[in-house]
Amino acid sequence: MRGVPVRTDSIAEADDGPGVPEALPRTLREVGNRLGPGAIDRLWIFPPLVQGRREWGLVAASCFDGRGARRLVTARYSAERTGKGLYLDSELLDEGVAPADRLPRVMEGVVKRGPEPLGSPRLVEVEGGVEAFESLMADYDGGLFEETVAGPRPAG
């Protein structure tokens, strides 16, 4: 599974700004829209890597596959706020299928193999419940969804 970009500077330098507060909730909304809350068993929301007004993050979703196993889908994002607006680029990847009881250990491994010790992910048990997903989204201020996203930041 791919994670956030590898960094060589220290954590103190990595957490030196406001980041992009809109990035994570918008990525979660995209996960919900693309997968459907009824298909999501659990979400692991990893702490973002922040550098000034730039941010990278990872969300992992355990989805019901109809046979007792779980399909693992990851959503990676990178975001930047500039004087020209908000740039957010996210990608959903189907990582494969595994027994449901193995996924917590997989998530622990992601934390251990990560480029920086940013901490353990927040576990959200959706269990296919639309209400549970809506409750998660209600944790985020509605203003974080109002501004139009400019899309991926142009190269250069």
Side-chain angles (χ1 to χ4, degrees), residues 39-105:
I40 301 171
D41 180 23
R42 294 179 178 180
L43 291 169
W44 288 270
I45 304 168
F46 289 83
L49 180 62
V50 174
Q51 181 182 31
R53 294 190 173 273
R54 297 174 68 191
E55 182 171 316
W56 300 266
L58 175 69
V59 175
S62 165
C63 300
F64 300 108
D65 80 339
R67 297 181 297 261
R70 297 293 183 268
R71 181 170 54 102
L72 182 62
V73 177
T74 58
R76 296 182 307 135
Y77 70 85
S78 61
E80 182 174 8
R81 176 161 294 288
T82 70
K84 295 183 180 183
L86 172 66
Y87 297 91
L88 175 62
D89 186 25
S90 60
E91 177 182 30
L92 265 69
L93 297 170
D94 192 331
E95 303 288 354
V97 177
D101 63 345
R102 288 199 187 155
L103 291 179
R105 287 182 294 202

Side-chain angles (χ1 to χ4, degrees), residues 2-147:
R2 291 185 253 172
V4 295
V6 175
R7 297 192 26 137
T8 56
D9 49 358
S10 72
I11 289 241
E13 292 175 286
D15 194 20
D16 65 350
V20 185
E22 304 91 338
L24 176 59
R26 288 174 189 236
T27 300
L28 286 168
R29 181 176 63 188
E30 181 180 352
V31 168
N33 288 342
R34 299 238 338 245
L35 301 176
I40 301 171
D41 180 23
R42 294 179 178 180
L43 291 169
W44 288 270
I45 304 168
F46 289 83
L49 180 62
V50 174
Q51 181 182 31
R53 294 190 173 273
R54 297 174 68 191
E55 182 171 316
W56 300 266
L58 175 69
V59 175
S62 165
C63 300
F64 300 108
D65 80 339
R67 297 181 297 261
R70 297 293 183 268
R71 181 170 54 102
L72 182 62
V73 177
T74 58
R76 296 182 307 135
Y77 70 85
S78 61
E80 182 174 8
R81 176 161 294 288
T82 70
K84 295 183 180 183
L86 172 66
Y87 297 91
L88 175 62
D89 186 25
S90 60
E91 177 182 30
L92 265 69
L93 297 170
D94 192 331
E95 303 288 354
V97 177
D101 63 345
R102 288 199 187 155
L103 291 179
R105 287 182 294 202
V106 170
M107 296 306 125
E108 289 173 21
V110 171
V111 171
K112 290 177 185 173
R113 291 186 306 274
E116 297 282 351
L118 293 175
S120 296
R122 173 183 173 197
L123 173 63
V124 178
E125 295 185 10
V126 177
E127 298 175 335
V130 173
E131 300 83 17
F133 190 81
E134 288 175 357
S135 176
L136 166 65
M137 296 310 297
D139 288 348
Y140 298 98
D141 182 283
L144 296 174
F145 300 99
E146 291 177 5
E147 181 182 337

